[in-house]
């Protein structure tokens, strides 16, 4: 078997067969993408996550749901929020969690992804949490991992970031309740954003009233309308009357060519400032998956303002990741019975 990474990963994985992600009984076995999951499954994740939400500054009690399980964080790309909240989630579920430091691992000596996985499997692990610069990396690992192992996608290329989308849905539901009446605007670099793709799948699955994507033509995927969204190129027009604004980071590291005149010009046209925020409903919430480029996609006055729920998104990341980890492990134990 060819174990060269780039030859084995489908760079445009497209729709996944649900059999890879679900058990025969329809339980979540891996969490790779929102695409193809039912509204009931998304609601189950949100309901379970709600049970794990804890108030700030309260003592954290540990749940024994993953006691005796070993979880490996495999982050081939940098992360602050996702990696830390997965680690906290695993520890609050009583799992043993190990971070593989990719920079000091044998990856730097040329070991393939598949060989890395095989060797980690030999250490008797139960779950891989994978962030990778290549779209499809988590699917690839899920396809080749041993049957008792669950794989959670912590962000793959520009394709998918499903736990981010679910923590965003939890935050929206906490503030706004049901999804059908909501108008949600996603603003910025839609082209390179795995977060936007997963959010669009989640919002349309949960029947949000309208999903708008707003950004320059150069940062808008061709044919994005087919995902069930309305496209705007004018920020003020796109924000008119919305309930939720999700700002996205400009992903310069994924831009092959100069897609923008300058960061300053981008901020003038698409940066969220008080004047643009005033176009949304007065009780609209402002979200950002982080990390934010202040003064590029969002003004500090708005990022730190009363409508911002950005830090609540981060806190909800722990609860959503606890929910998903406990669901995949319970699906695995059901399968092994
Ligand atoms: N939102 C998000 O994925 O942030 P990190 O890159 O810090 O994990």
């Amino acid at each position: 078997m060819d174990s060269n990474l780039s030859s084995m990963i489908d760079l445009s994985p497209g729709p996944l067969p649900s059999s890879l992600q679900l058990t025969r009984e329809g339980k979540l076995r891996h969490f790779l993408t929102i695409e193809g999951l039912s509204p009931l499954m998304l609601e189950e994740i949100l309901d379970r996550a709600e049970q794990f939400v804890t108030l700030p500054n309260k003592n954290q009690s540990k749940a024994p749901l993953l006691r005796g399980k070993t979880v490996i964080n495999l982050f081939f790309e940098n992360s602050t929020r996702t990696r830390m909240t997965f680690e906290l989630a695993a520890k609050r579920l009583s799992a043993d969690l190990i971070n593989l430091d990719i920079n000091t691992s044998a990856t730097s000596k040329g070991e393939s992804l598949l060989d890395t996985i095989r060797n980690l499997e030999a250490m008797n692990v139960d779950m891989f949490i994978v962030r990778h610069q290549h779209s499809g990396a988590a699917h690839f690992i899920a396809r080749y991992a041993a049957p008792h192992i669950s794989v959670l996608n912590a962000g793959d290329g520009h394709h998918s970031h499903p736990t981010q989308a679910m923590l965003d849905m939890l935050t929206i539901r906490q503030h706004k309740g049901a999804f059908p009446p909501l108008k949600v605007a996603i603003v910025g670099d839609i082209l390179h954003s795995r977060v936007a793709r997963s959010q669009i799948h989640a919002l349309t699955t949960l029947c949000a009233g309208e999903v708008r994507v707003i950004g320059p033509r150069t940062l808008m995927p061709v044919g994005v309308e087919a995902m069930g969204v309305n496209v705007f190129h004018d920020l003020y027009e796109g924000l008119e009357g919305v309930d939720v604004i999700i700002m996205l980071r400009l992903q310069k590291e994924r831009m092959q060519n100069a897609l923008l005149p300058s960061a300053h010009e981008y901020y003038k046209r698409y940066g969220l400032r008080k004047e643009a925020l005033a176009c949304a409903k007065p009780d609209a919430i402002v979200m950002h998956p982080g990390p934010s480029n202040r003064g590029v996609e969002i003004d500090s006055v708005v990022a730190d303002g009363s409508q911002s729920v950005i830090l609540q998104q981060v806190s909800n990341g722990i609860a959503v990741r606890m929910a998903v980890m406990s669901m995949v492990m319970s699906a695995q134990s059901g399968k092994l019975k």
Side-chain angles (χ1 to χ4, degrees):
M1 184 187 295
D2 179 1
S3 62
N4 179 281
L5 173 64
S6 56
S7 69
M8 293 198 73
I9 292 180
D10 177 0
L11 293 176
S12 305
L16 279 171
S18 55
S19 55
L20 186 61
Q21 193 160 238
L22 302 176
T23 65
R24 226 177 282 161
E25 298 75 32
K27 305 272 183 211
L28 199 62
R29 178 179 169 223
H30 305 290
F31 194 39
L32 307 172
T33 179
I34 303 284
E35 213 173 348
L37 294 182
S38 67
L40 272 179
M41 176 66 78
L42 299 194
E43 296 284 0
E44 185 185 341
I45 293 170
L46 296 179
D47 291 344
R48 193 182 277 236
E50 202 65 73
Q51 295 169 5
F52 290 122
V53 171
T54 47
L55 296 171
N57 304 321
K58 293 283 175 205
N59 283 347
Q60 307 291 338
S61 55
K62 281 196 176 192
L65 299 172
L66 264 66
R67 184 169 291 150
K69 302 291 181 190
T70 302
V71 178
I72 307 253
N73 258 349
L74 270 175
F75 277 62
F76 292 85
E77 263 190 355
N78 293 343
S79 166
T80 297
R81 281 146 289 270
T82 312
R83 193 179 124 179
M84 291 297 100
T85 53
F86 261 120
E87 183 162 348
L88 281 166
K91 288 180 173 166
R92 286 185 192 166
L93 292 170
S94 310
D96 295 318
L97 180 131
I98 298 167
N99 284 291
L100 180 68
D101 181 350
I102 298 300
N103 292 326
T104 57
S105 75
T107 299
S108 62
K109 299 177 191 168
E111 187 167 54
S112 74
L113 181 60
L114 193 57
D115 280 336
T116 303
I117 295 302
R118 291 276 180 265
N119 280 270
L120 293 172
E121 276 178 1
M123 299 173 202
N124 207 11
V125 305
D126 300 283
M127 193 185 300
F128 289 123
I129 297 164
V130 182
R131 170 167 289 192
H132 204 284
Q133 62 276 18
H134 285 295
S135 298
H139 311 77
F140 168 80
I141 295 173
R143 196 166 289 133
Y144 290 100
H148 71 278
I149 290 179
S150 284
V151 179
L152 306 189
N153 186 358
D156 62 323
H158 59 259
H159 177 246
S160 182
H161 195 347
T163 56
Q164 176 69 46
M166 291 314 295
L167 71 90
D168 296 331
M169 297 308 112
L170 182 63
T171 309
I172 293 172
R173 196 173 79 163
Q174 286 168 343
H175 283 271
K176 300 289 174 191
F179 286 86
L182 298 182
K183 289 182 181 165
V184 181
I186 306 173
V187 185
D189 183 0
I190 312 291
L191 182 65
H192 301 100
S193 179
R194 56 196 176 205
V195 173
R197 279 174 185 75
S198 291
Q199 288 167 337
I200 292 169
H201 285 304
L203 286 163
T204 52
T205 303
L206 292 166
C207 299
E210 184 184 357
V211 183
R212 301 178 184 179
V213 290
I214 309 171
R217 287 175 206 283
T218 49
L219 296 180
M220 199 60 75
V222 174
V224 69
E225 297 87 348
M227 294 183 78
V229 299
N230 293 325
V231 177
F232 292 80
H233 300 296
D234 181 274
L235 179 65
Y236 286 70
E237 203 186 313
L239 291 183
E240 195 60 51
V242 300
D243 302 276
V244 177
I245 305 171
I246 304 174
M247 301 305 295
L248 299 175
R249 181 174 70 86
L250 275 185
Q251 304 211 10
K252 291 192 185 136
E253 74 276 21
R254 296 191 215 285
M255 292 186 192
Q256 308 282 330
N257 307 305
L259 295 174
L260 294 168
S262 68
H264 178 68
E265 190 60 29
Y266 180 83
Y267 184 56
K268 275 204 314 198
R269 290 196 58 195
Y270 294 102
L272 187 63
R273 288 169 286 172
K274 267 170 44 177
E275 303 76 25
L277 178 57
C279 297
K281 286 190 181 157
D283 63 348
I285 55 170
V286 174
M287 306 175 70
H288 194 307
S292 319
N293 294 308
R294 290 166 184 255
V296 177
E297 66 252 356
I298 192 164
D299 185 1
S300 282
V301 172
V302 176
D304 302 327
S306 60
Q307 288 169 261
S308 169
V309 297
I310 293 172
L311 294 178
Q312 188 180 343
Q313 290 173 260
V314 177
S315 305
N316 279 336
I318 303 171
V320 161
R321 289 167 178 134
M322 287 175 79
V324 173
M325 291 169 107
S326 61
M327 284 169 74
V328 294
M329 276 297 105
S330 115
Q332 286 285 15
S333 44
K335 189 167 56 91
L336 295 175
K337 264 180 207 161

